[in-house]
Amino acid sequence: MMIMMGRSLNELFEGKVLTWREAAGVVVFVVVMAILQSLHSLINRVWWEPKKLQRIMEKQGWKGPPFRLFVGNMADVMRFREREMAKELSSIRDFTFTARLHPQYALFSSTYGDKSFFFQGDQLRIFISDPHLVKEVLLNELGNYYRPEGSILHKIIPLVGRGLANLNGEEWVMHRRILDPAFRVETIKGMVGTMVIAAESMMETWEQRIKDRKGSIEIEVTEDMRIITADTISRTAFGSSYTKGQQVFEGINKLRSTFVEASNNPLFWMSGYRFLPTAINRKIAKLKRENDETIKHVIQSRKELAKLGKDAYGNDLLGLMLIAADEDHVKAANGTKHQLTTQDLVEECKHFFFGGYETMSSFLTWTMLMLAEYPEWQECARTEILKVCGPKNDMDASKLNQLKIVGMILNEVHRHFTSVLQISRVAKKDMQLGDNFVPKGLSIEIPLLHIHHDPRLWGEDAWQFNPNRFANGVSKACQHPQAFIPFSFGPRHCIGQHFGMMESKIVVASVLLRFQLSVSPNYKHCPTTLLGFIPSPKTGVQLIVENLKPNVL
Ligand code: HEM
């Protein structure tokens, strides 16, 4: 290296040969310059850039709290959240818990109005809650708004995987193109039978427990919904090797608890924290390695089996992804650019496992609670399921499609307990958004949960549980079709939407055809969040479960 440097310096100093001392001086100079350069870009990133964006937005009437170096306003958010969490909800029918689930929007929009912003770490984030503007951002086909690198999903990458939701640009286009076919409605329809097996196996354990107790039982449904969801994903993704899938879920659970512990530290929200060699970061890295190995093992054995026969990839989600990736390899050989590597597939598997697991188990838990709390809706749904599927739970995709009342209830649960509380984007270049100039690099936060509760869009009963509002479809339920977007929309909408809706209907039908649900006196209504973005009950959801009276069937 010294010789190489000597040569280039020789050129620099027009052929003069440098002494070692002179060369050392030059090296020191270069190192100092490199340090100054890094310092300059650090200061630029953590101070000048956010301050510049703040000035631009303030000039246009946007308001927010003062900037704080490194941590931004997250400490204020955490304090506000603690205060909100300390407030008791009057009953399960009290839906005014949005401030504790998504405190940043509640805190800053109530202080600074609709045009508000705050700093998450060194990122200035504005809130967009007008559905017209939301539509403009999410429908942008040209990718002028991308997912931010500093979002919570990036902070927990060892847990969620470096998959679709964390990718941008051409890499995202390639992954989405290859993975889309595995999640099309037609493909998911073929998975109904597998989903029913997962749901029914949990129902059998409930039935056995009721039999053992000779009457009703109390069930903490959060855990059981997690098990059904994990089982459904393991079976639909990994087919016959679904026990390996369960192993992955054990790994995900360990990683999740470690991240929950880490996220209680305000420094966790600081950019770059995940790269520091702290004890907790080392533990996370070890757990990630172990989980990756399990998935890699399944993929490699599939690939080896495939060498023996054409269909050996299987028709489960992993098989479909491997087939699509293979077809893409063929195209690649013919001149297309990208290919999915084994590590890409590992990351995408983790991504689906996490994405499908946390959102679905949270959503199903809240659905069970609402069915138990509103017996009239439980009854309506059961009558419909009995009529469409018959008492033996004879389900297929077309019957599930006919479950209109169940669909209305699920929509109302999505509205109140929005699984993904907010969507984030960053402007790739200077943009015009409605009347606003949005400078390149500005982060935009779309507070789905709050949009779903805005009385200006939903009317006076926005804070009530009323599935009837969806009786004539989403477009008639609210003022603007983009006021109800639990799965988002546009090019980056949830790839698992059909999978999620199908699974939800199957679980609801399986439960209601066998059991009567009511809320246990032991249940304490205290919605909170998991990892700051998935609504979860603080101390589980305890329900009383009993067999249906014979005259119901
Ligand atoms: C209750 C169920 C679910 C809800 C409410 C939900 C919601 C969402 C939302 C709001 C997004 C963000 C879209 C955006 O930024 O515009 C998303 C993305 C995503 N979801 Fe879901 N999701 C659910 C279930 C699932 C399931 C079951 C899977 C997989 C099996 C899944 C996989 C994904 C993936 C991979 C993305 C990223 C898509 C991309 O960027 O191309 N989700 N989901």
Side-chain angles (χ1 to χ4, degrees):
M1 188 184 156
M2 284 300 284
I3 294 168
M4 274 172 60
M5 183 170 278
R7 271 196 196 135
S8 59
L9 288 174
N10 258 349
E11 282 158 20
L12 194 68
F13 290 97
E14 293 166 350
K16 256 201 277 166
V17 177
L18 294 181
T19 65
W20 282 107
R21 184 172 293 198
E22 282 168 336
V26 172
V27 170
V28 170
F29 174 76
V30 170
V31 169
V32 169
M33 286 311 283
I35 293 172
L36 285 178
Q37 173 76 34
S38 316
L39 259 176
H40 177 263
S41 56
L42 179 73
I43 293 171
N44 191 38
R45 190 161 64 82
V46 302
W47 178 263
W48 290 117
E49 191 59 24
K51 292 293 285 178
K52 185 183 91 187
L53 295 179
Q54 180 184 15
R55 271 195 306 275
I56 295 174
M57 295 322 286
E58 280 177 343
K59 270 191 191 155
Q60 301 179 70
W62 291 73
K63 293 187 198 126
F67 173 60
R68 291 206 180 84
L69 196 59
F70 296 122
V71 284
N73 308 115
M74 285 315 283
D76 299 337
V77 172
M78 281 175 159
R79 271 194 299 275
F80 174 74
R81 182 171 181 271
E82 263 166 42
R83 282 203 302 276
E84 287 299 313
M85 286 298 294
K87 291 181 191 163
E88 290 246 336
L89 290 166
S90 61
S91 77
I92 300 175
R93 297 181 180 214
D94 179 352
F95 293 94
T96 58
F97 47 73
T98 48
R100 56 166 81 191
L101 297 191
H102 192 213
Q104 46 273 56
Y105 180 78
L107 172 61
F108 300 123
S109 72
S110 62
T111 319
Y112 302 102
D114 275 346
K115 289 177 105 177
S116 61
F117 62 70
F118 78 110
F119 292 92
Q120 182 166 311
D122 50 37
Q123 266 181 13
L124 179 78
R125 296 181 156 231
I126 62 166
F127 292 109
I128 298 282
S129 54
D130 174 345
H132 296 94
L133 301 184
V134 170
K135 186 175 169 190
E136 224 176 298
V137 172
L138 293 182
L139 270 188
N140 191 288
E141 297 280 344
L142 300 172
N144 290 330
Y145 296 103
Y146 62 91
R147 290 242 176 79
E149 303 282 312
S151 78
I152 174 77
L153 280 184
H154 282 82
K155 291 189 190 300
I156 58 171
I157 241 172
L159 172 62
V160 300
R162 197 175 168 278
L164 279 177
N166 284 322
L167 301 177
N168 281 307
E170 278 198 23
E171 206 181 354
W172 171 78
V173 172
M174 185 265 289
H175 280 236
R176 182 93 195 201
R177 178 171 46 78
I178 295 177
L179 300 174
D180 251 339
F183 289 91
R184 282 197 193 122
V185 191
E186 290 312 311
T187 320
I188 301 299
K189 278 181 183 171
M191 293 176 184
V192 169
T194 314
M195 291 181 178
V196 172
I197 293 175
E200 284 294 306
S201 88
M202 175 58 73
M203 297 307 103
E204 277 157 25
T205 66
W206 285 12
E207 212 151 61
Q208 189 55 46
R209 286 168 65 185
I210 292 177
K211 211 165 162 188
D212 293 346
R213 289 289 301 268
K214 299 188 177 63
S216 61
I217 49 168
E218 182 184 282
I219 290 184
E220 198 291 279
V221 286
T222 314
E223 200 40 46
D224 285 0
M225 291 305 125
R226 295 183 79 82
I227 295 172
I228 295 184
T229 310
D231 199 24
T232 306
I233 297 176
S234 302
R235 286 172 192 273
T236 48
F238 278 2
S240 55
S241 19
Y242 80 94
T243 46
K244 283 279 177 200
Q246 287 167 333
Q247 216 171 306
V248 176
F249 278 113
E250 278 166 32
I252 286 182
N253 282 334
K254 282 189 203 153
L255 262 170
R256 186 168 51 88
S257 330
T258 315
F259 269 111
V260 168
E261 194 188 327
S263 67
N264 289 330
N265 179 353
L267 289 179
F268 174 79
W269 303 97
M270 190 179 94
S271 37
Y273 175 78
R274 71 191 162 108
F275 300 111
L276 299 179
T278 59
I280 209 148
N281 281 345
R282 281 201 302 275
K283 185 175 170 192
I284 287 169
K286 179 173 171 283
L287 288 168
K288 174 199 177 292
R289 265 195 310 277
E290 288 167 5
N291 232 14
D292 282 12
E293 278 313 307
T294 314
I295 303 175
K296 214 175 271 175
H297 182 260
V298 179
I299 295 177
Q300 264 150 6
S301 30
R302 286 287 175 99
K303 285 189 166 177
E304 273 154 33
L305 272 175
K307 284 183 194 150
L308 306 172
K310 205 166 172 265
D311 294 331
Y313 279 151
N315 58 359
D316 51 34
L317 281 178
L318 177 63
L320 295 171
M321 286 200 274
L322 284 167
I323 292 167
D326 253 9
E327 283 168 2
D328 218 57
H329 281 204
V330 175
K331 282 189 206 138
N334 296 331
T336 359
K337 279 192 236 157
H338 296 287
Q339 297 181 22
L340 272 191
T341 63
T342 300
Q343 188 56 37
D344 285 336
L345 285 166
V346 169
E347 297 295 324
E348 287 297 355
C349 280
K350 282 194 294 186
H351 209 56
F352 296 133
F353 273 44
F354 179 85
Y357 183 41
E358 297 297 353
T359 47
M360 283 303 300
S361 48
S362 145
F363 174 69
L364 288 172
T365 300
W366 296 119
T367 304
M368 293 299 131
L369 178 67
M370 290 299 103
L371 288 169
E373 173 64 17
Y374 293 89
E376 65 281 20
W377 283 107
Q378 185 182 150
E379 218 33 68
C380 278
R382 184 177 294 112
T383 310
E384 179 184 63
I385 297 162
L386 266 169
K387 197 168 139 206
V388 175
C389 305
K392 294 268 181 272
N393 201 359
D394 180 16
M395 273 180 252
D396 60 37
S398 78
K399 285 182 184 161
L400 291 171
N401 211 21
Q402 294 168 43
L403 297 178
K404 298 285 177 240
I405 296 173
V406 174
M408 284 155 54
I409 297 173
L410 294 176
N411 277 349
E412 189 66 345
V413 181
H414 273 306
R415 192 176 74 82
H416 281 306
F417 299 92
T418 311
S419 308
V420 175
L421 300 169
Q422 93 263 347
I423 293 176
S424 309
R425 296 286 189 268
V426 177
K428 193 172 166 187
K429 55 178 195 168
D430 290 349
M431 299 288 290
Q432 192 64 35
L433 180 60
D435 295 338
N436 307 282
F437 167 68
V438 169
K440 176 182 169 190
L442 184 74
S443 298
I444 294 170
E445 200 154 293
I446 301 171
L448 294 191
L449 179 74
H450 295 278
I451 296 174
H452 288 171
H453 286 91
D454 188 339
R456 289 171 294 186
L457 299 164
W458 294 89
E460 284 314 302
D461 70 345
W463 297 96
Q464 281 161 28
F465 187 82
N466 175 18
N468 247 336
R469 72 178 83 242
F470 289 102
N472 297 312
V474 171
S475 56
K476 299 279 185 312
C478 45
Q479 292 290 326
H480 195 285
Q482 272 72 48
F484 181 66
I485 46 169
F487 292 99
S488 181
F489 70 103
R492 300 209 66 158
H493 74 275
C494 174
I495 198 170
Q497 176 167 1
H498 303 302
F499 185 102
M501 282 312 278
M502 197 78 89
E503 183 189 345
S504 310
K505 285 184 175 176
I506 288 171
V507 173
V508 168
S510 303
V511 170
L512 294 190
L513 278 178
R514 293 194 196 206
F515 307 107
Q516 182 78 41
L517 306 177
S518 52
V519 182
S520 162
N522 293 326
Y523 173 63
K524 187 163 177 352
H525 193 47
C526 189
T528 177
T529 48
L530 178 74
L531 290 167
F533 75 106
I534 298 171
S536 314
K538 192 170 180 202
T539 49
V541 168
Q542 294 75 16
L543 298 185
I544 303 294
V545 181
E546 52 196 318
N547 282 329
L548 284 184
K549 310 273 176 298
N551 61 349
V552 177
L553 294 175

